[in-house]
Amino acid sequence: MQFLDAINVYFPLLASTTETADSSMVIGAVLLSLVVIYLASKVGGELSNRVGLPPVLGELLGGVVVGISVLHLLVFPEGGTDSSNSLIMTFLQMTAGLTPEATPAVFAAQSEVISVLSELGVIILLFEIGLESNLKDLISVGTQAAIVAVVGVVVPFTAGTLGLMTLFGVSAVPAIFAGAALTATSIGITSKVLSELGKLSSKEGQIILGAAVMDDVLGIIVLAVVASLAKDGAVDVSNVIYLIISASGFLIGSVVLGNIFNKAFVAIADQLKTRGELVIPALIFAFAMAYFASVIQLEAILGAFAAGLVLEETDKRKELQKQVVPIADMLVPIFFVTVGAKTDLGVLNPAIPSNREGLIIAIFLIAVAIIGKVITGFSVFGQPEINRLAIGVGMVPRGEVGLVFAGVGAASGVLSKSLGAAIIMMVITTTFLAPPLLRFVFPESDNLVTDSDKLILENATGTPLNLENPQSVSTVNDSNNHDDNPDSGDNSSKT
């Protein structure tokens, strides 16, 4: 007690927090929240995987079920709710003796802890994506893939932003954020379907794969820029230019300097003999890079992504990828379930007249998301026999990257409830539509994973593919789906 009293003397903020929120109740609330989160992520992920969809989509839907939209097990104060809406708080009152007077403080502390864990989850996710993004492959994908990637970013972003501002009167910063969410592409969903159709080694498959990988990098830069704009609350052209230059320069500079750091990192890791000799120095580097990114007004996730790109070039990358997977499996589901839990789909209920505009916005975003990517295939030139429609359809699914945009936007407070829900609906719809559409544009396919398909997917992701289990293709780029085969689990979060 004397020790705690001494702490309270020197840290009055901690003292006031301790007095208003019983620490044992806060811990209990956090533990119950994690039970709910992990159950929702696992049940949702398994069900989604069984119907041939990426498990991360199931985690999102699981979050929707346990969140403000359905069960009210996991709710947050920034959504306009209070402790009386939380079933976890009610359960603590019934079983642990939590008093009604202390409930609001415990609810606020619990929500803050889960939100911080969610932020750590997205940082780890982007670090893992960086570890799996081979720079040499990014450079060698060719002009055609680069054009498809750029068109796939510029067209939906421009159409979405201008459409929201002119048609719906959305202010500039939220419109820019929603437009940026339309730029994402999920390589995991497309690569799985293409491999099943035996088209991964085709010209179309190579262009789609290369363009989707490039979209990873472009999307992270766009996210860093728009998230920084959200902090300022206004659009300043000079600030936008600064952010684009600083984000690009930070990424390029990190990779260039990384060539020097790589050798030092390996040398340090070789000298360490205790547990975590490899993953702990890697996390120190990732968190330090995330901090430096935030210092120069960029998003911390850009720093984590850059750290992953740097360490991907080391000789330790395979071992490091394996060691990061269990950390991601513990933290990343918190991010995706939290995104779903914070999404109030009730604001899109057409039965309520005031919600109809939000539903129309969702339909508009879905249309722009599909059309904006489909037309990318028609930007391919010099290939008269190529299936341009298939290339465009292959770029449609948003997957994990779109959810990252939605989560960052919700956390920043820049998105209204209806606009945030509309973005989530866009991600869900494009992810569901992509597999059947790809099968439709490749009707003559033989549904086999060929050896050349295996080689291309390995080159793009850096992961050996188990051809004995074609379903393992679906785990590439999925942050939360495990396979008993460690080779098929290395790339479990690549978007």
Side-chain angles (χ1 to χ4, degrees):
M1 289 298 296
Q2 292 179 347
F3 176 69
L4 290 176
D5 291 339
I7 290 178
N8 291 341
V9 169
Y10 290 102
F11 299 96
L13 179 61
L14 181 60
S16 63
T17 303
T18 304
E19 291 171 1
T20 56
D22 187 337
S23 60
S24 63
M25 291 295 177
V26 173
I27 292 173
V30 169
L31 291 176
L32 285 175
S33 299
L34 291 177
V35 169
V36 170
I37 287 171
Y38 289 136
L39 275 174
S41 69
K42 184 50 62 179
V43 173
E46 289 294 330
L47 291 176
S48 183
N49 186 61
R50 289 173 186 270
V51 296
L53 293 169
V56 67
L57 185 59
E59 294 179 358
L60 171 69
L61 295 175
V64 171
V65 171
V66 301
I68 189 64
S69 294
V70 184
L71 296 181
H72 288 231
L73 283 168
L74 192 66
V75 296
F76 296 86
E78 58 263 33
T81 59
D82 56 31
S83 57
S84 64
N85 293 317
S86 172
L87 289 184
I88 287 180
M89 294 297 108
T90 302
F91 185 78
L92 284 174
Q93 290 176 355
M94 295 171 58
T95 61
L98 177 64
T99 63
E101 294 77 17
T103 299
V106 173
F107 174 65
Q110 169 245 0
S111 300
E112 184 66 25
V113 171
I114 297 300
S115 295
V116 170
L117 290 176
S118 174
E119 292 295 322
L120 284 175
V122 74
I123 287 174
I124 293 296
L125 173 63
L126 268 295
F127 176 57
E128 194 175 16
I129 290 172
L131 279 174
E132 297 160 3
S133 299
N134 188 285
L135 281 174
K136 294 183 178 64
D137 291 337
L138 289 177
I139 296 172
S140 64
V141 291
T143 305
Q144 300 283 14
I147 292 174
V148 170
V150 172
V151 172
V153 169
V154 173
V155 172
F157 174 76
T158 303
T161 302
L162 294 180
L164 288 173
M165 293 176 66
T166 57
L167 298 178
F168 301 99
V170 178
S171 57
V173 173
I176 290 174
F177 217 113
L182 295 169
T183 65
T185 296
S186 174
I187 184 178
I189 300 161
T190 299
S191 62
K192 176 199 172 185
V193 178
L194 288 176
S195 63
E196 290 176 345
L197 298 176
K199 290 293 183 178
L200 203 59
S201 59
S202 65
K203 288 183 179 180
E204 294 88 351
Q206 293 180 53
I207 292 175
I208 292 170
L209 202 61
V213 172
M214 290 191 69
D215 260 5
D216 281 350
V217 178
L218 293 175
I220 298 306
I221 292 176
V222 170
L223 178 58
V225 173
V226 297
S228 298
L229 288 178
K231 293 177 183 177
D232 297 334
V235 178
D236 183 344
V237 175
S238 60
N239 189 39
V240 172
I241 295 174
Y242 163 76
L243 290 172
I244 293 174
I245 294 175
S246 59
S248 304
F250 179 83
L251 205 56
I252 295 172
S254 299
V255 173
V256 172
L257 293 176
N259 292 328
I260 302 173
F261 174 78
N262 283 342
K263 296 179 180 179
F265 175 82
V266 173
I268 292 172
D270 287 338
Q271 294 299 316
L272 300 177
K273 303 303 178 184
T274 55
R275 281 182 62 174
E277 71 276 8
L278 180 61
V279 71
I280 295 301
L283 290 177
I284 291 173
F285 178 59
F287 292 156
M289 290 287 284
Y291 168 75
F292 288 133
S294 64
V295 165
I296 60 174
Q297 301 179 35
L298 297 174
E299 276 296 295
I301 56 177
L302 181 64
F305 179 72
L309 284 178
V310 169
L311 296 183
E312 195 279 334
E313 294 294 305
T314 68
D315 296 335
K316 302 281 188 179
R317 65 183 181 278
K318 291 293 183 184
E319 184 180 354
L320 182 57
Q321 286 173 1
K322 292 181 181 179
Q323 293 188 20
V324 169
V325 165
I327 300 174
D329 287 343
M330 183 177 70
L331 290 174
V332 176
I334 302 176
F335 170 73
F336 287 122
V337 173
T338 299
V339 171
K342 291 180 177 179
T343 302
D344 185 3
L345 296 183
V347 300
L348 300 179
N349 183 1
I352 303 175
S354 60
N355 290 345
R356 289 169 188 169
E357 183 180 4
L359 184 60
I360 295 173
I361 290 177
I363 295 172
F364 168 76
L365 291 180
I366 292 169
V368 172
I370 295 174
I371 297 172
K373 290 293 186 179
V374 169
I375 65 174
T376 60
F378 297 92
S379 65
V380 176
F381 61 91
Q383 304 282 345
E385 302 298 326
I386 203 164
N387 190 337
R388 290 174 170 80
L389 181 60
I391 293 174
V393 170
M395 301 293 290
V396 165
R398 279 6 185 230
E400 303 92 326
V401 184
L403 296 183
V404 171
F405 274 89
V408 173
S412 68
V414 70
L415 298 176
S416 64
K417 282 187 177 181
S418 59
L419 189 54
I423 293 175
I424 293 294
M425 290 301 297
M426 178 271 296
V427 173
I428 293 173
T429 303
T430 56
T431 304
F432 270 108
L433 285 178
L437 286 178
L438 271 173
R439 289 181 172 89
F440 177 77
V441 296
F442 282 129
E444 74 284 359
S445 303
D446 56 6
N447 295 336
L448 294 176
V449 183
T450 65
D451 287 340
S452 59
D453 286 347
K454 173 178 179 283
L455 180 60
I456 290 172
L457 193 57
E458 287 179 0
N459 288 339
T461 62
T463 302
L465 182 65
N466 179 12
L467 284 180
E468 299 295 327
N469 178 20
Q471 181 66 22
S472 67
V473 181
S474 66
T475 65
V476 178
N477 313 309
D478 171 20
S479 62
N480 301 293
N481 187 30
H482 264 295
D483 193 294
D484 290 336
N485 180 358
D487 290 337
S488 65
D490 287 354
N491 287 288
S492 60
S493 74
K494 179 115 167 43
T495 52

